[in-house]
Amino acid sequence: MLPTEYRLRRREDFATAVRRGRRAGRPLLVVHLRSGATDPHAPGESAPPTRAGFVVSKAVGGAVVRNKVKRRLRHLMRDRVALLPPGSLVVVRALPGAGDADHAQLARDLDAAFQRLLGGEGAR
């Protein structure tokens, strides 16, 4: 599971990642990445951790399916958060096909999106 300090919580952070970040679309999901963004809410000069948020709409499926997709995405991000630049904001938006996809398919799409966003460096 993705630890709490690595999760996006504020609406403004989601909006910043989506509006000002780069985007990579795949068949099952869309990844928005704002690299090295500074956190105005964090005290001190240290680089804030990379934080990730997830958007899974009703188009993906019912509540059980949406929660399953979110759990899978959080699990996948746990291993990938260290590969991203410190202070990055990541929003992963699941598309309707994600509800029927298995863990390996979601992992492939997430890795391909990060590879595109990071230019081949740091992605699995």
Side-chain angles (χ1 to χ4, degrees):
M1 193 57 66
L2 187 65
T4 305
E5 63 267 15
Y6 296 113
R7 293 192 199 168
L8 282 181
R9 298 282 187 197
R10 294 188 172 100
R11 179 185 186 106
E12 308 89 55
D13 294 336
F14 275 88
T16 299
V18 171
R19 291 186 184 137
R20 296 185 182 158
R22 297 181 61 211
R23 179 182 70 207
R26 306 300 308 157
L28 300 176
L29 44 86
V30 176
V31 177
H32 300 270
L33 173 67
R34 170 107 170 137
S35 296
T38 58
D39 185 3
H41 309 292
E45 296 295 320
S46 65
T50 297
R51 293 178 296 143
F54 307 94
V55 178
V56 184
S57 73
K58 288 185 179 180
V60 173
V64 173
V65 174
R66 291 194 312 268
N67 285 324
K68 180 176 70 171
V69 170
K70 282 187 278 190
R71 281 194 312 269
R72 286 179 175 173
L73 290 173
R74 281 196 303 263
H75 180 77
L76 291 169
M77 278 302 298
R78 180 186 67 183
D79 299 331
R80 290 156 179 82
V81 76
L83 303 174
L84 301 172
S88 295
L89 302 177
V90 179
V91 173
V92 180
R93 183 167 47 98
L95 297 175
D100 298 326
D102 64 3
H103 190 77
Q105 291 171 318
L106 288 172
R108 259 193 311 275
D109 273 9
L110 190 60
D111 287 338
F114 281 137
Q115 187 171 7
R116 181 171 176 216
L117 289 170
L118 297 173
E121 61 180 87
R124 292 180 170 218

